Amino acid sequence: MKRREFLSTTLAVAAAGLAPRSAGASNGLVEILIDEPVGTIAPELQGHFTEHIGEVVYNGIWVGENSKIPNVGGIRKALVDHMRQLHAPVIRWPGGCFADSYNWRDGVGPRSQRPVHTNFWDNDPQLCNAPDGPQKYDPNTFGTAEFMRFCQLCGAQPYLAANVRSLTPNDFDAWVEYCNSPAASTTLAQMRAGDGSRDPYNVTYWGIGNESWGCGGNFRPEEYAVEFRRFTSWVPDYGRKLRFIGSGPGADERDPQVSWTRGFMENLVGKSTHLFDRLYGFSMHYYCGGGDSLKFSSDDWYELMRQADVMDSLVSQHWTAMGEYDQERKVKLVVDEWGAWHQTTSLGPGYLFSSVPSLRDALVTALTLDIFNRHAEKLAMCNVAQLVNNINTLFLTREDRFVATPVFHAFDMYKSHQGGRSLRMVCDAPAISLGAGKALWGLAGSASLQGKTLVVTVVNPHISEPREADMSLRGGEAKSAQVTILTAPDIHASNGFDHADEVVPKTESAGISGSRFNWIFKPASVTKLEIDLA
Ligand code: AHR
């Protein structure tokens, strides 16, 4: 920590047209410009992702109807209850890389007659020592009908990823028909009825492949543009506007893959700009992380925050590149995989990419959701990877045990932003020097307004120093407020099966009023102020 000196940041202040402040009692400023909306925060920016990988589906979601684990028609009840609490808006399935090896027909019809197939992830070295089971040989017990039921129970919209690498556009049309054709209209509608739903599922969101530059087919962007056109031409829509999401870049700060974005857009537009009407969203993936999820140094802590913050510039970069072709801005950006991907923690032999999230991951989650809010006008959907027993996970399960991680609590705090109007917010606090010319902001966050309720969320990434900030509401006055704070005495704190409540938020009355007040942001914390405006 010694080499971390504070840098004075004046840029944000200058941007707000304010004079830089000399050092005083407070060392930060948070200004919310109530009359400067950025865009509406689609609830879908707080979406989820579930793949047939490791223990996500079998164990995490699906426990079976005859299980002693409390379940609703085979689906883990504790998971459903927590998803309802979150107001989970949308869930992506069945992958990820798994999606481009998945034949949806294997997962429909009577469960006892469904085929068992080798899972895409069977080759992963981590699964080599695992005993045979659904993680290696997928029994297809959890298929389209079971996923739809899961979404219905959670109150979330389904987002299905189609197989572009190893199935055809005709198979894709048939999946749309199975899901959306009117009751009793077709053979596939009858099959759907046999699987429990006479009525159509009315699936709106359809991903056209996944990581098509990699596991989804190793395409070049110009080749994928052809596939996108083939898969999205003349798809039966049953009176519903289908929202197709194109497979975008696997962004990384060293290689943002803007060439993929440009290549795809150029080849799509080369045919006709009308094709942008067919591209509802363009998906980007970005993971940060590395190392052990629970054993980390203070340098590792700050480095992870810095890496997570790269999302901000990636969104801007890809949005700018998209705009070079889509000048009418018909297409939105979708970040359908994101999170802190650490080394796998051994939770058991069948788990893959699983780790136990700590307070550090809650801050990564919060600062990322803040970035999404600040870019609300560009983003249509974001899906954290992955829901349970995996990367940046909200929940851990083992047999009948279930625990909500600090990541869940960050989502729970941020749900108050869903559907709000994102407002411009300026944060100025001494930046944290990371050495080698790198620095991390001292405070960052987002603000949204719904009716007379102003929601402000702020992350203080400093491990040991509180940040006192002058809070200024431009264009409004606080009448009363509630504060919720997520932090813990130890930055390594996590929730586990035998210590479920080490990292939980605390809510109390904030005792503030007026348009200016001071607030002390605790070290290593996420703070939410829910302010009733006068
Ligand atoms: O989330 C795990 C994997 O990461 C997904 O299957 C893939 O899309 C990405 O590379």
Side-chain angles (χ1 to χ4, degrees):
M1 283 302 299
K2 273 198 195 109
R3 71 181 171 77
R4 284 183 207 297
E5 79 259 14
F6 296 117
L7 305 172
S8 172
T9 49
T10 53
L11 274 180
V13 177
L18 303 171
R21 295 162 325 103
S22 55
S26 71
N27 50 19
L29 176 141
V30 174
E31 193 179 42
I32 295 123
L33 298 117
I34 293 175
D35 298 325
E36 291 193 31
V38 173
T40 298
I41 299 172
E44 288 79 6
L45 302 198
Q46 295 178 18
H48 301 278
F49 167 40
T50 56
E51 178 169 5
H52 287 240
I53 181 173
E55 306 264 340
V56 174
V57 168
Y58 300 107
N59 166 5
I61 303 172
W62 181 259
V63 296
E65 285 165 312
N66 301 323
S67 171
K68 282 183 281 189
I69 301 167
N71 67 85
V72 193
I75 294 166
R76 190 182 280 270
K77 184 171 180 308
L79 180 64
V80 168
D81 292 344
H82 280 74
M83 290 293 271
R84 293 193 74 82
Q85 181 180 329
L86 284 185
H87 304 161
V90 61
I91 308 172
R92 178 175 182 242
W93 177 82
C97 292
F98 176 87
D100 279 285
S101 66
Y102 182 63
N103 189 334
W104 66 270
R105 287 190 172 89
D106 295 336
V108 297
R111 278 190 211 121
S112 59
Q113 291 170 28
R114 296 184 192 170
V116 180
H117 278 306
T118 308
N119 182 293
F120 170 88
W121 294 101
D122 177 56
N123 282 338
D124 192 280
Q126 284 176 29
L127 275 186
C128 286
N129 298 327
D132 290 353
Q135 298 76 19
K136 295 171 90 164
Y137 304 110
D138 196 315
N140 284 298
T141 320
F142 191 87
T144 303
E146 291 74 20
F147 175 68
M148 293 300 160
R149 181 87 181 108
F150 177 49
C151 290
Q152 285 160 358
L153 290 169
C154 296
Q157 289 217 60
Y159 167 21
L160 298 180
N163 179 343
V164 170
R165 178 172 62 83
S166 51
L167 289 185
T168 66
N170 186 258
D171 295 301
F172 176 54
D173 288 1
W175 201 12
V176 176
E177 182 177 317
Y178 172 83
C179 290
N180 289 0
S181 58
S185 61
T186 65
T187 306
L188 288 174
Q190 274 158 6
M191 183 181 261
R192 183 186 66 224
D195 291 340
S197 184
R198 192 170 181 280
D199 292 331
Y201 296 126
N202 295 329
V203 178
T204 301
Y205 296 115
W206 295 91
I208 308 302
N210 168 76
E211 298 193 348
S212 299
W213 40 267
C215 62
N218 284 121
F219 292 110
R220 289 195 291 265
E222 61 274 21
E223 293 168 334
Y224 174 67
V226 175
E227 296 301 322
F228 181 87
R229 288 201 295 269
R230 290 176 70 225
F231 272 74
T232 58
S233 295
W234 310 109
V235 182
D237 66 6
Y238 308 103
R240 154 174 305 268
K241 173 103 177 121
L242 302 180
R243 293 177 163 178
F244 297 128
I245 294 164
S247 174
D252 173 305
E253 65 179 314
R254 288 152 302 180
D255 175 19
Q257 275 203 7
V258 182
S259 55
W260 175 271
T261 299
R262 289 214 172 89
F264 172 70
M265 292 284 158
E266 191 174 317
N267 282 281
L268 195 65
V269 85
K271 187 84 174 118
S272 158
T273 50
H274 291 309
L275 285 163
F276 285 132
D277 291 326
R278 240 194 254 168
L279 181 64
Y280 171 76
F282 185 61
S283 94
M284 175 177 100
H285 293 177
Y286 174 62
Y287 290 100
C288 56
D292 193 293
S293 73
L294 296 178
K295 293 186 203 116
F296 51 84
S297 65
S298 50
D299 282 352
D300 296 336
W301 164 285
Y302 290 114
E303 173 57 14
L304 186 67
M305 303 291 149
R306 189 199 65 76
Q307 284 182 22
D309 193 51
V310 169
M311 179 71 85
D312 201 352
S313 51
L314 291 174
V315 168
S316 298
Q317 272 172 313
H318 288 278
W319 180 251
T320 303
M322 286 159 66
E324 290 167 21
Y325 306 91
D326 172 27
Q327 286 164 6
E328 290 177 54
R329 287 295 188 193
K330 290 181 175 166
V331 186
K332 291 278 172 92
L333 199 53
V334 166
V335 183
D336 56 18
E337 288 186 29
W338 66 270
W341 189 335
H342 305 296
Q343 280 166 11
T344 297
T345 313
S346 181
L347 294 167
Y351 294 75
L352 195 57
F353 306 154
S354 58
S355 58
V356 178
S358 72
L359 174 66
R360 182 173 64 147
D361 301 295
L363 265 76
V364 162
T365 300
L367 77 85
T368 306
L369 294 175
D370 282 324
I371 292 170
F372 294 157
N373 290 347
R374 297 199 300 266
H375 289 288
E377 83 287 13
K378 308 179 183 78
L379 294 165
M381 193 199 301
C382 304
N383 309 72
V384 61
Q386 298 196 15
L387 184 64
V388 51
N389 296 330
N390 201 259
I391 306 158
N392 213 73
T393 204
L394 282 80
F395 309 105
L396 295 171
T397 70
R398 188 186 292 142
E399 293 157 4
D400 60 344
R401 289 185 288 177
F402 177 92
V403 66
T405 71
V407 172
F408 164 81
H409 293 298
F411 267 89
D412 200 30
M413 287 171 72
Y414 276 63
K415 72 185 178 199
S416 334
H417 281 300
Q418 289 184 15
R421 272 193 314 154
S422 177
L423 305 177
R424 204 157 86 78
M425 172 164 150
V426 177
C427 289
D428 171 43
I432 302 167
S433 167
L434 306 182
K438 294 179 184 170
L440 177 69
W441 38 260
L443 290 175
S446 65
S448 68
L449 184 69
Q450 242 175 116
K452 287 273 183 193
T453 305
L454 174 66
V455 180
V456 181
T457 44
V458 176
V459 171
N460 175 8
H462 201 288
I463 284 177
S464 54
E465 306 231 352
R467 285 280 160 267
E468 183 171 0
D470 291 338
M471 304 283 297
S472 167
L473 312 184
R474 289 253 185 126
E477 275 193 21
K479 199 166 65 174
S480 61
Q482 274 207 141
V483 62
T484 304
I485 300 170
L486 185 64
T487 187
D490 180 355
I491 57 167
H492 304 92
S494 63
N495 297 337
F497 297 124
D498 51 359
H499 56 282
D501 297 330
E502 229 170 80
V503 189
V504 287
K506 292 192 178 58
T507 300
E508 58 188 30
S509 165
I512 53 168
S513 61
S515 58
R516 294 195 77 125
F517 52 90
N518 261 38
W519 192 266
I520 299 174
F521 294 97
K522 294 189 174 182
S525 70
V526 183
T527 300
K528 175 174 73 168
L529 287 163
E530 274 181 296
I531 302 171
D532 290 325
L533 295 177

